[in-house]
Amino acid sequence: MPVTAAVLRDDARPRKPKSRKPVPPKPLYKKPLPAGRPREWYISHNRRLKAMRLAIALMDTGVYVPEKATNRRIRATAARVGIHPPSSTTCRLVRELIRDELS
Protein backbone atom coordinates (compact mmCIF):
# COMPACT_ATOMS: atom_id res chain seq x y z
CA MET A 1 0.00 0.00 0.00
CA PRO A 2 1.53 3.39 -1.00
CA VAL A 3 2.24 5.89 1.79
CA THR A 4 1.77 9.62 1.23
CA ALA A 5 4.45 12.18 2.02
CA ALA A 6 2.29 13.77 4.75
CA VAL A 7 2.26 10.52 6.71
CA LEU A 8 6.04 10.19 6.51
CA ARG A 9 6.69 13.65 7.98
CA ASP A 10 6.93 13.80 11.77
CA ASP A 11 6.01 17.48 11.95
CA ALA A 12 2.87 17.14 9.84
CA ARG A 13 0.48 19.86 10.95
CA PRO A 14 -2.85 20.76 9.49
CA ARG A 15 -2.33 23.49 6.94
CA LYS A 16 -4.30 26.66 6.90
CA PRO A 17 -6.18 27.27 3.68
CA LYS A 18 -4.70 30.05 1.59
CA SER A 19 -6.61 33.26 2.03
CA ARG A 20 -7.95 34.84 -1.09
CA LYS A 21 -7.81 38.56 -1.59
CA PRO A 22 -11.25 40.07 -2.04
CA VAL A 23 -11.94 40.98 -5.62
CA PRO A 24 -13.40 44.48 -5.98
CA PRO A 25 -16.67 44.59 -7.88
CA LYS A 26 -16.54 45.69 -11.48
CA PRO A 27 -17.94 49.18 -12.09
CA LEU A 28 -21.27 49.41 -13.78
CA TYR A 29 -21.50 50.51 -17.38
CA LYS A 30 -21.80 54.28 -17.43
CA LYS A 31 -24.19 55.78 -19.91
CA PRO A 32 -23.29 59.16 -21.38
CA LEU A 33 -25.15 62.12 -19.96
CA PRO A 34 -27.99 63.47 -22.08
CA ALA A 35 -27.01 66.23 -24.46
CA GLY A 36 -28.63 69.62 -24.73
CA ARG A 37 -29.02 70.48 -21.05
CA PRO A 38 -27.76 73.74 -19.58
CA ARG A 39 -24.26 73.70 -18.09
CA GLU A 40 -25.63 74.26 -14.58
CA TRP A 41 -27.54 70.97 -14.80
CA TYR A 42 -24.34 69.00 -15.48
CA ILE A 43 -22.52 70.79 -12.64
CA SER A 44 -25.27 70.04 -10.12
CA HIS A 45 -25.64 66.47 -11.39
CA ASN A 46 -21.94 65.72 -10.92
CA ARG A 47 -21.98 67.45 -7.52
CA ARG A 48 -24.87 65.23 -6.38
CA LEU A 49 -23.02 62.11 -7.54
CA LYS A 50 -19.87 63.16 -5.70
CA ALA A 51 -21.84 63.99 -2.55
CA MET A 52 -23.55 60.60 -2.68
CA ARG A 53 -20.22 58.77 -2.97
CA LEU A 54 -18.84 60.75 -0.03
CA ALA A 55 -21.95 60.19 2.10
CA ILE A 56 -21.73 56.45 1.51
CA ALA A 57 -18.02 56.43 2.38
CA LEU A 58 -18.69 58.40 5.58
CA MET A 59 -21.49 56.10 6.63
CA ASP A 60 -19.23 53.10 5.99
CA THR A 61 -16.75 54.61 8.46
CA GLY A 62 -19.44 55.11 11.12
CA VAL A 63 -20.48 58.74 10.64
CA TYR A 64 -24.27 58.66 10.83
CA VAL A 65 -24.95 62.11 12.30
CA PRO A 66 -24.60 65.25 10.16
CA GLU A 67 -23.01 67.15 13.06
CA LYS A 68 -20.06 64.73 13.04
CA ALA A 69 -19.56 65.21 9.29
CA THR A 70 -17.42 68.33 9.42
CA ASN A 71 -15.82 69.80 6.31
CA ARG A 72 -12.44 68.54 7.53
CA ARG A 73 -13.72 64.98 8.00
CA ILE A 74 -15.50 64.99 4.63
CA ARG A 75 -12.35 66.22 2.86
CA ALA A 76 -10.19 63.65 4.67
CA THR A 77 -12.59 60.90 3.59
CA ALA A 78 -12.45 62.19 0.01
CA ALA A 79 -8.66 61.99 0.06
CA ARG A 80 -8.77 58.46 1.50
CA VAL A 81 -11.29 57.28 -1.11
CA GLY A 82 -9.49 58.99 -3.97
CA ILE A 83 -11.93 61.78 -4.79
CA HIS A 84 -10.88 65.37 -5.43
CA PRO A 85 -11.41 67.62 -2.39
CA PRO A 86 -15.03 68.77 -2.29
CA SER A 87 -16.12 72.38 -2.09
CA SER A 88 -18.03 73.79 0.86
CA THR A 89 -21.24 73.48 -1.16
CA THR A 90 -20.61 69.78 -1.75
CA CYS A 91 -19.82 69.28 1.95
CA ARG A 92 -23.15 70.90 2.81
CA LEU A 93 -24.90 68.57 0.36
CA VAL A 94 -23.20 65.55 1.97
CA ARG A 95 -24.58 66.58 5.37
CA GLU A 96 -28.06 66.99 3.86
CA LEU A 97 -27.88 63.49 2.38
CA ILE A 98 -26.86 62.02 5.74
CA ARG A 99 -29.68 63.98 7.43
CA ASP A 100 -32.21 62.70 4.88
CA GLU A 101 -31.01 59.13 5.45
CA LEU A 102 -31.81 59.41 9.14
CA SER A 103 -35.34 60.68 8.50
Side-chain angles (χ1 to χ4, degrees):
M1 176 181 230
V3 180
T4 62
V7 173
L8 295 176
R9 290 182 20 195
D10 292 335
D11 62 338
R13 294 178 296 219
R15 295 184 183 183
K16 292 192 300 187
K18 292 183 180 179
S19 62
R20 291 185 177 174
K21 291 183 180 179
V23 178
K26 293 182 180 178
L28 298 174
Y29 172 74
K30 293 183 179 180
K31 294 190 293 188
L33 293 175
R37 304 255 172 128
R39 180 166 165 61
E40 293 78 25
W41 184 89
Y42 297 105
I43 293 171
S44 66
H45 175 76
N46 289 331
R47 177 169 285 147
R48 286 190 306 263
L49 291 178
K50 184 177 192 175
M52 182 61 74
R53 286 194 303 268
L54 286 170
I56 290 169
L58 281 168
M59 294 177 94
D60 285 344
T61 61
V63 177
Y64 300 107
V65 182
E67 290 76 27
K68 290 197 173 192
T70 61
N71 286 358
R72 179 179 286 178
R73 181 172 278 179
I74 292 171
R75 289 184 178 123
T77 303
R80 189 171 47 248
V81 175
I83 301 174
H84 285 283
S87 65
S88 297
T89 305
T90 305
C91 291
R92 198 173 321 120
L93 185 56
V94 169
R95 284 189 286 277
E96 287 177 16
L97 288 171
I98 293 174
R99 187 175 298 115
D100 288 345
E101 184 63 34
L102 293 175
S103 301

